[in-house]
């Protein structure tokens, strides 16, 4: 079976950090993983590529005629065999910012991505606006389950709630929300704030990643924290997410309905 | 003469705080000011409305037939006579997130906004994606000058650079950038980071707003910091921005070209 999950959240909240670490851990247990970066910032898979540069699909198709396109030019094999793709985005001010995502999905399909036999596909998606290409991974044929990454900061909780609205408006009826990932900024009352939100929207907090200096260290080394510091508290939290994805795959964990708060409830 | 300025920056960076405070100060010196919130979060003018709720233009036109629409229903008069408008945005996942902005500009024009004789129009615009409606204020007939609000955090500097790309791609040739507003997060080396960026893109830092607990206090009182704490350091920085806008209006300060950094330079 294939499980497809999307990681959404406000820009800078830690989506790529979460995605790369979770992909690493899943691959370490033998899963065949594909991670697709769906943020115009195109830095989702950096920590899995051992310093190699990745060509975005959007740039690639711009300069490569259809007959010359090959899957291996845009799907790079990273540590532990995680397969990495970056959608890229158009130049700011020129067309829809999410355009790279739609082009990427079409291109990968045409070049035969599904023959690669993945166990897990992970989409790392910008969540500041839920529209255009950024809403595409929410379609039924893509994300089976959606994780929301947030901190205690109002801006990120507001964005998470917005993403829930997008999920509810996009594909009604089928429960698609996997849960909330608290990535701690290290502020006062952070846990309380996110727990109150999680309770109000009736979603589980799947992991509570501590704010840690190890992230910067791993980043300087161009590696994931899970690879360099497997015994750290942060790594243990990423393992919870990896385990949760596996339990969704095996139907042991449930996906939930999206119940966003209205403006008044957001207080 | 009329001067139109746009305040762009990453979500949560302080655009609305800057906008409301600057509008207040300009109005206090006798300028007739219009502030238009162009963020789906629709909270730009909250601190100028003394607790009153503002109907967004998008919501208003959805439920009001064209013949019944009146300017005073969407343009609210705030403290010191600042005229306030909120564009609003569509439901997430349904259409272009910036749709409220285009609808707002058309509606205001049709209802006669230009007969109100403004000295300053200030657009407070979401800058996480520079596309669709969010790019509209960059058009020549709108913003004469654009301010970029940033902190020392990489995410906000990256967003500022992206906005510069949007400006360059959108209306080539005419210098449109007013400058950078440093809104301090209170992190290490913040000033250095933003100064190096400002130098690299050859833009002035127009103001350096300190991180201050007075913002939360003013916010709890539902007022701008400039109104409640006019002698504070933060208020003095907002005065610099107000003065800078006036000097652009009087042609004493220059507008600059947009020279964004490429990926490599962004280091
Ligand atoms: N828990 C954490 N503690 C410390 N730093 C973190 C943590 N999570 C993420 N970071 C750092 O925050 C920055 C932004 O994270 P990133 O994953 O790139 O965000 P996004 O993909 O959501 O834009 C990165 O430099 C990352 O190393
Ligand atoms: N210099 C500052 N010091 C402390 N808090 C600030 C400062 N600037 C902004 N804030 C706070 O940060 C939050 C986000 O600011 P806001 O203006 O709403 O951001 P934006 O409009 O860019 O989304 C607000 O609660 C505001 O009071
Ligand atoms: S749909 Fe969204 S991403 Fe596309 S142009 Fe509109 S705001 Fe930008
Ligand atoms: Mg990212
Ligand atoms: Mg705002």
């Amino acid at each position: 079976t294939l499980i497809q999950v999307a990681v959404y959240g406000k820009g800078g909240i830690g989506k790529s950090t979460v995605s790369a670490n979770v992909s690493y851990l899943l691959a370490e247990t033998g899963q065949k993983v594909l991670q697709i970066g769906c943020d115009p910032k195109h830095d989702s898979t950096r920590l899995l590529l051992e310093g190699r540069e990745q060509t975005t699909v959007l740039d690639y198709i711009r300069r490569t005629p259809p007959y010359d396109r090959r899957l291996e030019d845009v799907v790079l094999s990273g540590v532990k065999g995680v397969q990495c793709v970056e959608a890229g985005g158009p130049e700011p001010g020129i067309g829809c910012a999410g355009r790279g995502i739609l082009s990427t999905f079409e291109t990968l399909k045409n070049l035969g991505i599904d023959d690669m036999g993945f166990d897990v596909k992970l989409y790392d998606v910008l969540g500041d606006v839920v529209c255009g290409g950024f809403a595409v991974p929410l379609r039924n044929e893509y994300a089976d389950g959606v994780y929301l990454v947030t901190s205690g900061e109002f801006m990120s909780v507001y964005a998470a709630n917005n993403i829930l609205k997008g999920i509810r408006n996009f594909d009604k009826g089928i429960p698609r929300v996997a849960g909330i990932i608290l990535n701690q900024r290290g502020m006062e009352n952070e846990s309380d704030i996110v727990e109150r939100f999680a309770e109000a929207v009736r979603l589980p907090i799947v992991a509570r990643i501590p704010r840690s200096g190890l992230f910067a260290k791993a980043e300087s080394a161009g590696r994931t924290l899970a690879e360099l510091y497997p015994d750290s508290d942060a790594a243990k939290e990423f393992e919870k997410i990896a385990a949760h994805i596996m339990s969704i795959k095996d139907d042991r964990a449930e996906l939930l309905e999206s119940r966003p708060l209205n403006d008044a409830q957001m207080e």
Side-chain angles (χ1 to χ4, degrees), chain A:
Chain A
T1 44
L2 164 70
I3 178 94
Q4 304 192 73
V5 295
V7 177
Y8 273 83
K10 182 169 170 52
I13 197 61
K15 294 179 293 301
S16 301
T17 303
V18 167
S19 301
N21 275 278
V22 170
S23 291
Y24 175 88
L25 291 168
L26 287 168
E28 205 182 30
T29 65
Q31 299 292 317
K32 185 153 172 127
V33 182
L34 171 67
Q35 179 169 327
I36 305 182
C38 300
D39 188 321
K41 242 200 302 160
H42 60 81
D43 60 1
S44 174
T45 51
R46 209 167 50 79
L47 306 174
L48 298 167
L49 291 177
E50 297 165 289
R52 274 172 295 160
E53 282 292 323
Q54 177 141 32
T55 304
T56 68
V57 174
L58 202 59
D59 283 348
Y60 183 69
I61 63 184
R62 250 184 224 139
R63 63 178 201 225
T64 314
Y67 277 74
D68 293 339
R69 293 174 193 168
R70 299 204 312 286
L71 201 60
E72 56 266 33
D73 291 337
V74 287
V75 183
L76 295 193
S77 197
V79 289
K80 299 286 179 194
V82 176
Q83 302 303 306
C84 302
V85 175
E86 279 295 349
E91 272 294 296
I94 300 183
C96 185
R99 190 152 61 78
I101 300 170
L102 205 42
S103 312
T104 292
F105 288 9
E106 291 169 351
T107 303
L108 292 177
K109 182 151 156 256
N110 295 338
L111 296 181
I113 192 84
D114 291 320
D115 303 334
M116 289 183 73
F118 289 105
D119 299 311
V120 183
K121 287 188 190 176
L122 197 154
Y123 305 100
D124 167 2
V125 198
L126 178 146
D128 294 279
V129 288
V130 191
C131 53
F134 303 116
V136 170
L138 295 177
R139 291 182 194 173
N140 270 332
E141 68 260 42
Y142 299 114
D144 300 312
V146 182
Y147 291 90
L148 308 165
V149 185
T150 188
S151 69
E153 290 167 304
F154 180 71
M155 297 289 145
S156 69
V157 177
Y158 182 92
N161 194 60
N162 238 33
I163 294 157
L164 286 176
K165 287 186 181 179
I167 294 170
R168 181 190 57 181
N169 291 331
F170 214 80
D171 269 321
K172 302 196 172 60
I174 306 161
R176 317 274 306 294
V177 191
I180 292 170
I181 296 167
L182 166 54
N183 190 17
Q184 300 182 52
R185 175 98 207 177
M187 58 182 272
E188 219 180 308
N189 283 330
E190 186 154 34
S191 243
D192 286 346
I193 292 168
V194 178
E195 275 166 17
R196 272 194 297 144
F197 174 68
E199 205 165 313
V201 296
R202 297 198 255 163
L203 293 172
I205 297 178
V206 174
R208 288 170 172 75
I209 304 155
R211 183 170 190 81
S212 165
L214 296 179
F215 285 99
K217 287 186 157 188
E219 200 157 285
S220 314
R223 301 272 168 166
T224 58
L225 176 147
E227 179 176 8
L228 298 187
Y229 308 103
D231 302 320
S232 61
D233 288 343
K236 293 190 173 27
E237 292 303 312
F238 290 127
E239 284 175 19
K240 288 181 188 170
I241 302 167
H244 193 258
I245 292 171
M246 286 295 100
S247 63
I248 292 174
K249 193 173 191 277
D250 309 336
D251 256 346
R252 284 174 296 110
E254 56 168 353
L255 291 166
L256 300 144
E257 269 188 62
S258 174
R259 299 183 185 92
L261 305 179
N262 60 37
D263 278 356
Q265 294 165 305
M266 280 300 287
E267 98 241 43

